[in-house]
Amino acid sequence: MTDLKTLLHSLQTIELKTSILVEGLAAGEHRSLFKGQGIEFSEIREYVPGDDIRTIDWKVTARLNRPYIKDFSEERDQRYYFLIDGSASGSFGSQISKAQRILEVTASLMFAAQKQHEQIGLCIFTDRIEQYIPARRGRRHLLALLNALIAYTPHPGGTDLAAVLKQFTPLVKRQSSVIIISDFFTEDPAPALSILRLHHEVSAIRVTDPREHELPDCGLMMFEDEESGEQLLVDTSDPAIRERYRLATVAAARTFSDMCRRCRVAQVRLSTDEPYDIPLKRLFGGRAIGGR
């Protein structure tokens, strides 16, 4: 078990560091991330321009010869599930590690949700679900989630988000907001992500490090894959190699963005060397974290 004093110090440091962002994310109108569509049926009413056409009740529409929709009321509380990449690639970083940045971002969003007394759950994953904690509310539960993140030790092996989503989707029965935080170095998870999106509101936060974007000109360098252990000797002084690497990173970023658009998933990219408050506020926009 992690030393209690070290754990408490880590939690206090994280809370202090993220307190300003928490205030911004928790502020605002208390409304749903689901854009008005709850999960409890309320009434049948006549269609008005701007209503979601997916809620049209075709039987009533055909009988009355005018469009009618099914109206839904929202539940009073919201559930947030954080899917956190715990693979070994998170240990990489030039100033701070990707894992540390992921922890800070997750803590910020969790504190914001807890401030509004919402329910929070956690799923740490690699190529499988490593730890799953169902959503509950309360500060004690929040501290237990952060303790699980801080105490977690990455296991050897790769990342398989598609397999994880197939395991995770049946676990969460009630409509929730799912926030995936990862470097997204994984095989294409789009099909599984689309299925998850049918049932839940989904946001994707991709965390990268600046040294992953370009190769430095440092002559012969030995690179090691932290997940597989594979090693590769690279001549970084070769401009052609550096350019191929740069193009590959640009393609990976484009693939991530295209996948999120196809799956209708909100997205943002964060770098370990940049502040993350503005991108997170942009991601959630007018939607208060922990809010309706």
Side-chain angles (χ1 to χ4, degrees):
M1 182 177 178
T2 305
D3 179 76
L4 182 58
K5 289 184 178 179
T6 303
L7 172 62
L8 291 176
H9 177 72
S10 299
L11 294 176
Q12 290 170 355
T13 301
I14 290 171
E15 185 169 13
L16 286 172
K17 187 171 183 179
T18 62
S19 59
I20 296 178
L21 176 61
V22 167
E23 292 295 331
L25 291 173
E29 183 184 359
H30 196 64
R31 60 192 181 92
S32 176
L33 294 181
F34 293 105
K35 302 176 182 60
Q37 182 179 352
I39 59 174
E40 292 186 350
F41 172 73
S42 177
E43 62 178 346
I44 297 288
R45 64 172 175 82
E46 192 167 354
Y47 172 88
V48 296
D51 286 334
D52 189 344
I53 61 173
R54 293 175 297 179
T55 62
I56 291 178
D57 187 317
W58 294 107
K59 290 183 179 179
V60 176
T61 297
R63 188 167 65 248
L64 300 178
N65 203 28
R66 291 195 307 275
Y68 278 77
I69 69 167
K70 293 180 179 179
D71 206 3
F72 295 86
S73 61
E74 297 175 312
E75 292 196 349
R76 291 182 297 172
D77 62 348
Q78 172 71 356
R79 290 187 181 186
Y80 291 86
Y81 275 94
F82 292 85
L83 269 64
I84 306 303
D85 187 347
S87 62
S89 64
S91 62
F92 182 81
S94 49
Q95 296 183 20
I96 65 169
S97 69
K98 290 186 289 183
Q100 178 63 29
R101 180 47 49 89
I102 287 174
L103 174 60
E104 292 174 357
V105 170
T106 304
S108 298
L109 298 175
M110 283 185 172
F111 277 122
Q114 190 271 335
K115 190 176 180 67
Q116 296 293 333
H117 310 289
E118 305 289 10
Q119 298 186 54
I120 312 167
L122 175 68
C123 176
I124 304 175
F125 68 90
T126 53
D127 57 351
R128 62 185 184 276
I129 293 178
E130 301 287 351
Q131 190 167 3
Y132 170 75
I133 303 176
R136 296 188 183 88
R137 63 168 56 86
R139 185 172 179 83
R140 180 176 296 181
H141 177 65
L142 167 64
L143 295 179
L145 298 184
L146 293 177
N147 179 21
L149 280 170
I150 293 172
Y152 174 76
T153 302
H155 299 293
T159 307
D160 191 342
L161 182 56
V164 169
L165 294 180
K166 290 177 183 177
Q167 299 173 42
F168 173 80
T169 300
L171 294 176
V172 182
K173 306 298 184 183
R174 183 181 137 186
Q175 192 178 45
S176 304
S177 181
V178 179
I179 302 172
I180 306 171
I181 309 179
S182 170
D183 56 17
F184 284 86
F185 291 151
T186 179
E187 295 297 323
D188 182 19
L193 191 60
S194 295
I195 294 174
L196 178 69
R197 180 61 183 81
L198 291 175
H199 305 282
H200 306 285
E201 183 80 7
V202 184
S203 303
I205 301 175
R206 186 179 186 225
V207 178
T208 62
D209 186 85
R211 287 190 178 176
E212 293 175 326
H213 304 157
E214 292 185 357
L215 282 178
D217 184 354
C218 298
L220 289 174
M221 292 184 65
M222 182 67 73
F223 290 84
E224 180 175 338
D225 187 324
E226 297 188 49
E227 296 185 351
S228 67
E230 181 182 357
Q231 293 184 332
L232 181 66
L233 184 64
V234 178
D235 183 6
T236 61
S237 62
D238 187 338
I241 291 178
R242 294 201 306 274
E243 178 62 11
R244 286 196 342 243
Y245 180 87
R246 187 190 68 81
L247 292 175
T249 61
V250 170
R254 187 182 302 116
T255 298
F256 169 74
S257 295
D258 291 345
M259 175 193 69
C260 290
R261 279 194 291 270
R262 291 198 317 272
C263 299
R264 297 174 57 233
V265 169
Q267 61 172 297
V268 71
R269 283 175 283 175
L270 304 178
S271 180
T272 58
D273 66 334
E274 297 175 347
Y276 55 88
D277 55 338
I278 294 176
L280 286 186
K281 289 176 182 177
R282 189 189 315 122
L283 172 65
F284 294 101
R287 305 174 299 171
I289 294 298
R292 281 285 156 232

